[in-house]
Amino acid sequence: MAGPDAVQAPEPAVRLRGIWKTYSGGVQANRGIDLAVRAGSIHGLLGENGAGKSTLMKVLFGLVSPTRGGIELSGRKVRFGSPADALEARVGMVQQHFSLIPDFTVTQNLILGNEPTTRFGRLALRAAAARIQELSDRYGFRIDPNARVADMSVGARQRVEILKILHRGAEVLILDEPTAALTPQESAELHGVLRTLREQGRTVIFISHKLAEVIDLCDRVTVLRDGEVVGEREIGPEHRGPGPDRDAVERDLARMMVGRDLPAGPGRPHAPGAPVLILSGATDGGALAPIDMEVRGGEIVGLAGVEGNGQNELIELILGIRGCASGRILLNGTDVTRWPVDRRLRAGIGHIAEDRQSAALVMSMPVAENALLGYQNQPRFHRRGRWLSVQRIRDFAAELVRRFDVRTPSVRVTASSLSGGNQQKLVVGRELARRPSLIVAAQPTRGLDLAATSFVHEELDELRADGRGVLLVSLDLTEIMTLSDRILVVSGGAMVGSARPSEVDEETLGLWMTRGRTDRTGSVEAAAT
Amino acid sequence: MRVFSIGLVISGIHLSMPLLFAAYGGLVSERSGVINIALEGMMLFGAFLGVAVTFWTGSPWLGLAAGVGLGILLGALHGLLSITVRADQIVSATAINLLALGVTAALIPTIWGQPGVSPTVARIPPVVLPGLSDLPLVGEIFAELSILDYVGFLMVPVAFYVLYRTPLGLRLRACGEVPEAAASTGVDVIRTRYLAVLTSGALAALGGVYLSLVQVGLFQRGMTQGRGFIALAAMIFGKWRPLPILAASLLLGFADAFQFRAQAVGLPLPHDLLLALPYLVALVALATFIGRATAPGAIGKPYVKD
């Protein structure tokens, strides 16, 4: 230990030394990780799913106890048995799933567990709200303490989460993929808040797998892969503007994350064929305004929008889950407006459902039976009349597993034992086995790592090359921009914009998504310029 | 005797009270995230032990205490099964309901030497508040109210205050909405839920005691006649909120009172139809109940610490 007079660099706000974490199943999530985070900086933690980022930060927050290794805060050794200990030491974490109670107001959420009261044991809500308002104003959170969380946008909720740990006195803030569900505008607003926090001396650890925002926001980035640190980079202002410096660091970080060079995005001519799907004035008579749109063979149409602006309703309308109140839906030139779901699927629609764990797969059923879902009425799976043939189902499933590289010990294990990426490969495989002329892909890469994401993208691209139509619904604008031939934007249940990727940038799309059409007569294309 | 009279009001209050107690028992439990369809069994056990202890000691007050005590024990049992062991909350509660029906019926002959019904025991008397009972018209009502009626009406603002204005209420509701979020802020979800289920047992049993020791002064096999479930209906129809639950309990209680009086007066309506009236009202209330999303978010889900 250096004497009090020794001149030395200030101790890092957080130092992790040789963190090992082996879970009871034998999975080594962290393998000897060292990490130093400068006080008053934004430190990026970059890596694929399963790289060990979240585990490492749960160790720091006291949610997970490390198998080996130690934590120092500003040079002082600490040991956390629970998040309460970590909060006591002024370390707070916003986890990926929201920890707010939708039915409560911001104030109620923030005081929960540590409630101020008046003399008679009554909640001192007004005083608490005033303090939260003051905190919100100081860091530019723009949060109304009396608003109900259920009524707030996703971006606002994310800010409330951060406000919550600040309110508990956190000096070190750990944010686990905070922008995953945000629009570009909301992300930008969040970045602003984080920069203000940094100016005021707080330390932020920012977990992400989005390269661009890490470079925009962070002062230093540590990249994890397979539970180990594979590299660190200092990010300076020279890297933030567009140019060769930025490209170089981006390529560098990507290579470190994945362990190899990623294939370049598909550059390809757009030569659409005949329309496979036409909606003319189709509406459910409720959530959706009359919709006019078409998807042609050999093209990917990206549907962008803030979550909950009619995407799900539109998908249900196309599939026939939701009834069509007026207007028409044509599939390959045939009017399918009154057709039930099953008939439309047989006529050539494949559907990659948004929530694979509840809408696409039955988690407690074996892989083989999941592969069968939707095909159970096909004679090729029957024997002696309408009895299902277990053997034929398993053969079919095994074929899917092989063709789509689903990593599973057997087709007899339950879907729940597969990783998210492999579950999605199974769903994609099953839907493509239909050989659909139209595939409706709802958030097909949500929660997947880069490798699984690029698998799904390649499959969609192959469908396109094969002359089929793809409707890609995604909240990830980068995904929409890189994959789509045309982009449609929904807002409030209505189509508010249409453009080619080359004609717009993410900011413009974000504006359309949040503001919709500004007036009824002005065209959206005009608004884009 | 006319159907609509002061008598109807008195009888309506008396028939609403057991529902109100039990429905508030349901409210407290379910707001913390634990379904309690064992209200019926808890009422029946409370009614039974209340009469038994009054029979042995001659004091309805001891009977009251014993009945409520048993309710707390049953709450503990439901808690043990559904919170600690994390058994299915419906199964755990159904076990209590079946147990109540069987055990109380079996014990009637053992204790009283006759099947089906106990002898009459001392009832909890009305409180005479000088002045109030002398008022014209409403005086008649006050003359018939026991201490439990006042407790019941007082319970409404108290429950409201605790639920919405105190840290305990905030925590309880948090446990029923998103227990993980509550736990992450240091709230002890298990303890809070236990507290709620124990209270629930006490209140449901109090409803049963009211039935046996305020209304009739005896215990009869299966005497709750599904009132625990009617209370559950009142709670759902009242959307898990204190004031609407009061209204729903009064509605169902008065429907019952009307039915009794209509029979007594001899209204030209089929007997069976009149008997079914309170249940029909409950059915219609539930069928027209709109907005299922008002149930607590985590209701019925065991909380697992990770």
Side-chain angles (χ1 to χ4, degrees):
Chain A
M1 206 65 203
D5 297 325
V7 179
Q8 56 180 44
E11 288 286 350
V14 175
R15 185 189 285 282
L16 299 174
R17 286 190 202 272
I19 301 288
W20 282 81
K21 176 63 194 178
T22 310
Y23 283 107
S24 51
V27 177
Q28 293 189 324
N30 288 167
R31 303 193 296 173
I33 292 181
D34 293 308
L35 181 71
V37 180
R38 272 200 310 272
S41 73
I42 302 180
H43 194 112
L45 206 53
L46 195 66
E48 292 264 80
N49 286 347
K53 312 178 297 271
S54 292
T55 298
L56 185 68
M57 288 302 108
K58 283 178 180 170
V59 166
L60 176 55
F61 188 49
L63 276 166
V64 165
S65 57
T67 315
R68 241 184 297 158
I71 306 170
E72 287 170 25
L73 298 180
S74 308
R76 196 164 39 85
K77 280 207 171 81
V78 289
R79 180 171 284 276
F80 298 149
S82 72
D85 294 348
L87 281 165
E88 186 74 18
R90 302 196 172 277
V91 174
M93 177 165 178
V94 175
Q95 293 184 260
Q96 272 185 46
H97 55 85
F98 286 126
S99 71
L100 299 174
I101 293 166
D103 202 40
F104 282 11
T105 64
V106 172
T107 303
Q108 287 174 331
N109 265 293
L110 263 55
I111 63 174
L112 182 64
N114 191 17
E115 304 87 353
T117 52
T118 63
R119 256 175 312 161
F120 307 106
R122 189 187 163 101
L123 287 171
L125 284 174
R126 203 165 303 160
R131 264 202 314 284
I132 291 163
Q133 183 73 65
E134 193 264 328
L135 198 60
S136 164
D137 292 345
R138 177 151 31 117
Y139 296 104
F141 277 84
R142 299 199 304 113
I143 294 293
D144 171 10
N146 296 314
R148 218 168 66 106
V149 168
D151 302 331
M152 306 175 91
S153 69
V154 182
R157 286 186 204 192
Q158 189 60 266
R159 297 200 299 277
V160 174
E161 293 274 2
I162 297 171
L163 197 57
K164 184 172 163 185
I165 55 174
L166 271 182
H167 183 252
R168 296 216 131 192
E171 292 288 339
V172 175
L173 296 92
I174 309 165
L175 309 179
D176 196 353
E177 308 214 357
T179 58
L182 306 190
T183 64
Q185 279 73 20
E186 287 174 329
S187 294
E189 188 162 7
L190 186 73
H191 291 177
V193 167
L194 297 182
R195 290 192 183 104
T196 313
L197 285 170
R198 173 175 58 189
E199 277 162 29
Q200 308 226 5
R202 313 255 174 167
T203 308
V204 177
I205 304 179
F206 188 86
I207 305 181
S208 180
H209 61 232
K210 292 184 189 165
L211 280 172
E213 74 169 354
V214 165
I215 295 170
D216 282 342
L217 186 65
C218 297
D219 303 305
R220 190 175 176 83
V221 181
T222 301
V223 184
L224 298 188
R225 193 174 73 232
D226 296 331
E228 291 174 350
V229 174
V230 288
E232 281 205 353
R233 286 285 178 282
E234 197 72 22
I235 310 279
E238 72 276 14
H239 300 114
R240 294 200 223 280
D245 284 345
R246 185 186 179 105
D247 294 346
V249 80
E250 223 169 80
R251 243 194 335 273
D252 237 24
L253 292 172
R255 196 180 308 116
M256 284 193 261
M257 257 167 95
V258 187
R260 59 183 164 86
D261 285 316
L262 278 179
R268 68 260 156 119
H270 178 213
V276 290
L277 175 76
I278 298 175
L279 266 64
S280 54
T283 169
D284 64 346
L288 295 173
I291 304 275
D292 290 299
M293 62 176 277
E294 63 171 38
V295 178
R296 290 169 173 270
E299 70 170 357
I300 297 179
V301 175
L303 185 70
V306 177
E307 189 157 23
N309 270 267
Q311 296 97 318
N312 291 339
E313 288 80 1
L314 181 59
I315 291 170
E316 288 179 4
L317 191 71
I318 293 170
L319 290 170
I321 298 171
R322 187 172 281 260
C324 187
S326 65
R328 294 204 309 155
I329 302 171
L330 302 181
L331 186 64
N332 296 318
T334 313
D335 189 331
V336 300
T337 315
R338 300 272 157 250
W339 286 18
V341 182
D342 180 51
R343 196 168 169 200
R344 293 192 203 187
L345 294 181
R346 274 184 286 137
I349 304 182
H351 176 217
I352 299 172
E354 170 175 348
D355 186 347
R356 58 183 162 269
Q357 303 205 340
S358 69
L361 296 172
V362 181
M363 300 305 284
S364 57
M365 282 187 353
V367 168
E369 291 182 2
N370 272 294
L372 176 73
L373 287 180
Y375 301 123
Q376 64 275 6
N377 290 328
Q378 293 189 358
R380 62 173 167 143
F381 296 111
H382 299 161
R383 63 189 175 87
R384 278 190 266 141
R386 304 253 306 164
W387 296 93
L388 287 173
S389 158
V390 173
Q391 196 50 53
R392 288 182 195 173
I393 294 167
R394 289 203 182 134
D395 289 347
F396 170 69
E399 169 68 15
L400 279 190
V401 162
R402 197 184 52 72
R403 250 188 33 219
F404 292 95
D405 189 29
V406 181
R407 305 280 165 81
T408 174
S410 139
V411 297
R412 301 185 191 196
V413 301
T414 58
S416 59
S417 62
L418 268 53
S419 73
N422 283 307
Q423 288 170 2
Q424 191 68 338
K425 286 181 188 174
L426 179 64
V427 174
V428 170
R430 181 183 73 198
E431 295 307 312
L432 297 194
R434 211 181 269 290
R435 303 204 49 77
S437 46
L438 170 73
I439 191 122
V440 179
Q443 305 240 52
T445 60
R446 174 137 100 172
L448 302 188
D449 60 24
L450 278 184
T453 298
S454 84
F455 165 85
V456 171
H457 288 173
E458 280 162 28
E459 287 298 331
L460 293 181
D461 219 48
E462 249 169 63
L463 283 171
R464 173 187 179 276
D466 198 30
R468 295 159 201 285
V470 177
L471 179 62
L472 170 69
V473 181
S474 179
L475 299 179
D476 181 350
L477 284 185
T478 316
E479 177 171 55
I480 295 255
M481 294 285 279
T482 44
L483 242 58
S484 308
D485 299 297
R486 283 190 300 122
I487 298 172
L488 302 174
V489 180
V490 278
S491 173
M495 286 292 168
V496 296
S498 156
R500 293 181 185 286
S502 53
E503 302 164 350
V504 283
D505 54 20
E506 291 193 15
E507 276 62 41
T508 313
L509 287 181
L511 276 180
W512 293 359
M513 284 160 56
T514 44
R515 291 202 194 137
R517 203 195 290 266
T518 43
D519 62 75
R520 290 208 141 270
T521 48
S523 80
V524 182
E525 277 74 12
T529 53
Chain B
M1 183 165 151
R2 287 170 302 121
V3 174
F4 296 99
S5 66
I6 275 294
L8 177 73
V9 178
I10 294 167
S11 144
I13 291 174
H14 279 164
L15 289 166
S16 298
M17 254 334 131
L19 298 181
L20 186 66
F21 282 121
Y24 268 55
L27 167 73
V28 172
S29 175
E30 303 216 340
R31 266 308 180 80
S32 82
V34 183
I35 295 178
N36 190 0
I37 64 158
L39 295 175
E40 173 79 5
M42 292 169 168
M43 282 180 92
L44 197 57
F45 264 126
F48 170 79
L49 196 67
V51 169
V53 169
T54 309
F55 175 76
W56 289 321
T57 64
S59 161
W61 302 109
L62 288 177
L64 168 73
V68 171
L70 181 59
I72 293 174
L73 278 179
L74 291 167
L77 176 65
H78 186 45
L80 184 73
L81 291 174
S82 59
I83 302 170
T84 304
V85 185
R86 298 198 290 270
D88 188 298
Q89 297 176 6
I90 304 291
V91 174
S92 155
T94 303
I96 291 175
N97 286 337
L98 293 175
L99 204 67
L101 203 58
V103 169
T104 56
L107 284 178
I108 294 173
T110 347
I111 297 176
W112 291 296
Q114 58 188 45
V117 64
S118 79
T120 314
V121 297
R123 289 166 48 181
I124 292 174
V127 237
V128 181
L129 296 171
L132 279 182
S133 344
D134 302 331
L135 291 174
L137 214 61
V138 290
E140 253 184 275
I141 301 177
F142 282 112
E144 291 289 331
L145 295 186
S146 73
I147 186 81
L148 286 191
D149 293 284
Y150 291 105
V151 169
F153 283 122
L154 200 64
M155 177 177 72
V156 175
V158 168
F160 185 89
Y161 185 83
V162 171
L163 216 44
Y164 294 106
R165 296 284 183 267
T166 66
L168 179 65
L170 190 73
R171 289 170 179 216
L172 187 122
R173 288 186 290 129
C175 291
E177 295 290 341
V178 190
E180 295 78 13
S184 78
T185 61
V187 174
D188 189 335
V189 176
I190 304 288
R191 219 188 66 181
T192 309
R193 285 190 167 180
Y194 259 105
L195 185 68
V197 178
L198 294 185
T199 310
S200 178
L203 288 174
L206 192 56
V209 168
Y210 187 98
L211 215 52
S212 67
L213 286 182
V214 175
Q215 277 183 17
V216 287
L218 55 77
F219 182 79
Q220 192 180 7
R221 164 185 185 157
M223 77 183 293
T224 44
Q225 291 179 318
R227 284 198 173 78
F229 293 105
I230 301 263
L232 211 57
M235 177 198 72
I236 296 170
F237 188 47
K239 301 193 172 182
W240 291 266
R241 297 206 310 258
L243 295 178
I245 291 177
L246 170 67
S249 301
L250 287 174
L251 171 74
L252 295 169
F254 272 80
D256 210 7
F258 171 80
Q259 170 267 127
F260 272 123
R261 294 186 68 79
Q263 279 192 61
V265 170
L267 275 196
L269 285 169
H271 170 75
D272 294 329
L273 190 68
L274 280 175
L275 269 184
L277 185 70
Y279 305 94
L280 284 176
V281 172
L283 201 65
V284 170
L286 284 184
T288 54
F289 162 80
I290 314 154
R292 286 153 59 95
T294 46
I299 194 167
K301 289 185 204 126
Y303 170 68
V304 188
K305 248 186 178 162
D306 53 16

